[in-house]
Amino acid sequence: MTDTSAASAPITQDVLTIPRKLPEGPVNLVGLTREKLRDALADIGVPEKQLKMRVNQLWAWIYERGVRSFDDMTNLAKSFRAELGERFMIELPEVVSKQVSADGTRKYLVKIAGGHEVETVYIPETDRGTLCISSQVGCTLTCSFCHTGTQKLVRNLTPGEIIGQVMLVRDDLGEWPEPGKPKNEARLLSNIVLMGMGEPLYNFENVRDAMKIAMDPEGISLSRRRITLSTSGVVPEIARCAEEIGCQLAVSFHATTDEVRDRLVPINKKWNIETLLDALRAYPKASNSERITFEYVMLRGVNDTDEDARRLVKLISGIPAKINLIPFNEWPGAPYERSDWERIERFADIVYKAGYSSPIRTPRGEDIMAACGQLKSATERARRERVSL
Ligand code: SAH
Ligand code: SF4
C-alpha cells in the first residue's frame, strides 16, 4: 500500500512541507534565512544588540566554512557554543548512495526527513561544475515524457533540504575553504540548475529561501547568473521568480502548438502557449537577466519536424532566448523515442539560422540513469518493480 492521500489533495505551496521546527528537540539552522536565524537566536535570549553580529558569525561558519559542529566555532565563547549546541543543530540530508558515471557525473541518492528520497546530480564540465538539484519528492505534474512525472508528489522539500543538497555535494567534492586560506576561486561547484525532481515554482517560498542562501555573498556566494530555475510553465509564479529570486529562467517548452503541448506538458491546458509567452516576454526586464532558455525535448515523430522548428522561432520572436535541444532520454516503459541525430541537427540548424543559439544537450550520466527526466527515487522504482512482478 502506498499513501496516495497527499497526491490527490489539491496542491498549494506549503501544505505538504513538513514543519522545520519540530515540537521538541533542537532546531536545524540549515535553511533558515538571515531573518529567521535572527529570530531563532532572539528566541534563545541573545540580546538585541548582539543579534546582527551573531547572525554574521554563524552564517560564515555554516555557509562559508561548512562547519557542522558548534564546538568548531572558535570565535564564540565556550558557554555560548554549549548553549547553541543544546538548542540547535546543523544537519544536512543524508547521502544514502553515490554513483559515479563513466563520464564523471555523480548521482547522489539523498534521504530526507520521513525517509523519502530525492536525487541530486553533479555534472563536471571543463569550464564549470553544475549541480542539478531537486525541489520536490516526485511531482504533481504529469508530463508524459518525464520519468519523475510518473511518480506522485510526496511532498515539497524544505529550504534546508534544498540548500542541503548543495552543501553535501560540496562536502563530497571537498570544496569548503580551510580556515585562514583564501576562498577557492575556481569552483568545482560553480552553477546550480533547479532541474531535478519536481516543479520548483510549486514550492516557491522554499526554493526562494534556499536560493537566497546560495546567493548570499558572505556564504556560498553563487551569482544569480549561475543559478537557473526550470519551470514547466507555472505562469502566475514567473513574475514572482523575477522579483524575488532574480535567477536565470529556463522553460520546458517542448512543443509549438497547444494541441501537442497539451499532451506533452499538461499544465499547458491551464496556461497555454500564448499566456506563457506573455509571462516570458516580461521576465528578462523584470529580473535583469539576459536570455531565457527554451528547453525542447526531441521526440521522434512528435515535435521534431522542420515546420516545428520554424514555428518555434516565430513564436519566440522578440524574446532574448537560447534554445536548448534535449535528446529524449529513455526510461523503462517510456511511450516515446529519441529523434534521430540528423533530425536533431537539422532542427538545431533552422533555429540557429534564425539567430538563436541552439546547443544540443549532451546526455550525461545515462549509464547511471542520471540524465534529464530519468530521476526517480529508488524506493519508488523498487515499489513499482514489485508491483509489476
Ligand atoms: N519540473 C521542471 C524542472 C525539472 S525537469 C520542468 O519541467 O521544467 C528538467 C528538464 O528535463 C525539463 O525541461 C524537462 O522537461 C526535461 N525532461 C524531462 N524528462 C525528460 C526526458 N525523459 N528526456 C529529456 N528531457 C526530459
Ligand atoms: Fe514535473 Fe518537470 Fe517532469 Fe513535468 S518535466 S513531470 S514538471 S519534473
Side-chain angles (χ1 to χ4, degrees), residues 132-133 135-136 138-139 141 143-149 194-201 229-233 250-254 264-265 294-299 324 326-331 334 336 338 361 371-375:
C132 178
I133 60 182
S135 54
Q136 298 182 311
C139 189
L141 302 172
C143 302
S144 52
F145 53 90
C146 175
H147 203 196
T148 309
L194 282 146
M195 295 187 185
M197 293 162 67
E199 167 49 62
L201 293 187
L229 181 151
S230 175
T231 180
S232 56
V251 63
S252 294
F253 208 63
H254 305 322
L264 299 181
V265 190
F294 284 76
E295 297 164 285
Y296 199 97
V297 63
M298 297 299 291
L299 304 171
N324 206 329
I326 317 175
F328 174 60
N329 294 312
E330 296 190 2
W331 38 272
Y336 301 104
R338 181 182 288 184
R361 193 182 287 176
C372 302
Q374 292 184 317
L375 304 186

